[in-house]
Amino acid sequence: MSYRLANLQGRAVLVANDGVYDVERHSGGRLPADPMEVLVRYTQLHGLAAELGAHPDAALSSVTLAPCVPRPQKIFGIGLNYRSHAAESGMEPPSTPVVFTKFPSCLAGPTDDIRIYGPTTDWEAELVVVIGGRGRDIPAERAWDAVAGLTCGQDVSERTTQFASKPPHFDLGKSYDTYGPIGPAVTSLDQFADPADLAIRCEVNGVVKQEARTSDLIFSVPALIAYLSSICTLEPGDLIFTGTPSGVGAISGTFLKAGDVVTTSIEGVGTMTNRCVEP
Ligand code: ZN
């Protein structure tokens, strides 16, 4: 059975029946409370999800979820991974993945505020892959087996900082505190008819800015896992922000400001709603 793994006040919870279920308690202690430790044993969540009763511990509408993966060892970001975004950026589609990092201190929850630290802060809706299996040299044919699930992400980017140096240093411009909202939950792959073809959308103040399908990725999820794991050992909880489609604000010179509301949705995963505030 499929699962949706989330984080409530530092404890792993499963989301079902419009509510949350504490993983440690409902597993009778077979699974730990820490969301990072649960990800090591993500394959056991299918069984637990099938055993949940009809009565959640709390209604989903009454709780505030934290980042579903709170302390990843690594967060990879992939640049220019949709042809539409490469074209609007005036760049050739890359022949090797363009990889940067977002430092884990930038993570935020699915309803947390984004603190706007600079005047050229931009939105980037992205599919985020959550690694479940530890591994190196993972072949593309087996790469989905190493995935604990998928979630939504915003690769919020301060463009002036991103391009302040020559060559540009993406890492810092994309790592301001709160510039990495993820969630609402790590959604298992059996939730999707085809996990490689999902609608993704970003709205700002209710206006659609980005709309695409993840089947348009230049480097697919298996290709990215094979490439990254040929260099780094992937660990449970590592995140891959797989890139953003066309429609970012930098193209039109429109950026986020305090008061804006960013809504990020992926088919089958759910929606994040993050309000922009002064730092
Ligand atoms: Zn991005």
Side-chain angles (χ1 to χ4, degrees):
M1 180 162 180
S2 63
Y3 59 80
R4 295 171 184 275
L5 176 66
N7 173 2
L8 179 61
Q9 298 176 335
R11 293 182 66 89
V13 294
L14 289 182
V15 177
N17 304 320
D18 293 322
V20 293
Y21 296 77
D22 186 90
V23 166
E24 184 192 37
R25 194 157 64 244
H26 284 274
S27 69
R30 279 180 289 127
L31 286 165
D34 186 312
M36 300 307 299
E37 292 176 26
V38 169
L39 279 168
V40 176
R41 293 155 68 180
Y42 70 100
T43 55
Q44 297 178 38
L45 292 172
H46 297 285
L48 180 61
E51 292 168 5
L52 299 174
H55 303 291
D57 301 332
L60 195 53
S61 57
S62 71
V63 300
T64 300
L65 297 176
C68 50
V69 183
R71 300 182 313 281
Q73 186 194 67
K74 299 186 281 303
I75 306 176
F76 300 100
I78 309 299
L80 304 173
N81 203 21
Y82 286 82
R83 273 171 225 290
S84 60
H85 179 54
E88 74 175 358
S89 305
M91 308 287 276
E92 290 291 314
S95 53
T96 300
V98 177
V99 182
F100 56 89
T101 190
K102 288 173 82 75
F103 295 104
S105 51
C106 79
L107 290 176
T111 58
D112 285 348
D113 292 340
I114 300 167
R115 301 203 295 269
I116 303 297
Y117 285 101
T120 55
T121 294
D122 206 346
W123 56 84
E124 291 195 358
E126 307 205 1
L127 175 74
V128 174
V129 176
V130 181
I131 297 295
R134 185 171 195 273
R136 193 164 191 287
D137 292 325
I138 300 169
E141 312 83 78
R142 295 213 307 271
W144 282 114
D145 296 342
V147 175
L150 303 174
T151 198
C152 303
Q154 265 292 336
D155 177 19
V156 182
S157 304
E158 215 299 314
R159 301 300 187 194
T160 304
T161 305
Q162 181 181 348
F163 294 104
S165 67
K166 302 275 183 297
H169 54 190
F170 280 27
D171 307 344
L172 290 175
K174 292 165 173 281
S175 287
Y176 284 94
D177 289 2
T178 72
Y179 277 27
I182 55 170
V186 181
T187 304
S188 61
L189 299 180
D190 49 355
Q191 183 74 30
F192 309 103
D194 180 359
D197 182 24
L198 305 174
I200 180 168
R201 177 206 288 250
C202 176
E203 296 175 20
V204 178
N205 302 328
V207 177
V208 177
K209 299 292 189 182
Q210 298 181 285
E211 195 158 37
R213 300 196 69 84
T214 60
S215 48
D216 292 335
L217 286 173
I218 296 173
F219 296 100
S220 67
V221 169
L224 291 171
I225 289 173
Y227 179 67
L228 295 170
S229 74
S230 76
I231 297 168
C232 305
T233 298
L234 299 183
E235 300 284 349
D238 282 353
L239 303 178
I240 306 171
F241 279 66
T242 56
T244 203
S246 61
V248 299
I251 304 305
S252 60
T254 313
F255 297 104
L256 294 171
K257 57 188 185 309
D260 288 346
V261 176
V262 181
T263 309
T264 312
S265 323
I266 296 177
E267 175 185 6
V269 174
T271 298
M272 295 196 300
T273 304
N274 301 95
R275 181 173 298 275
C276 299
V277 300
E278 301 285 350

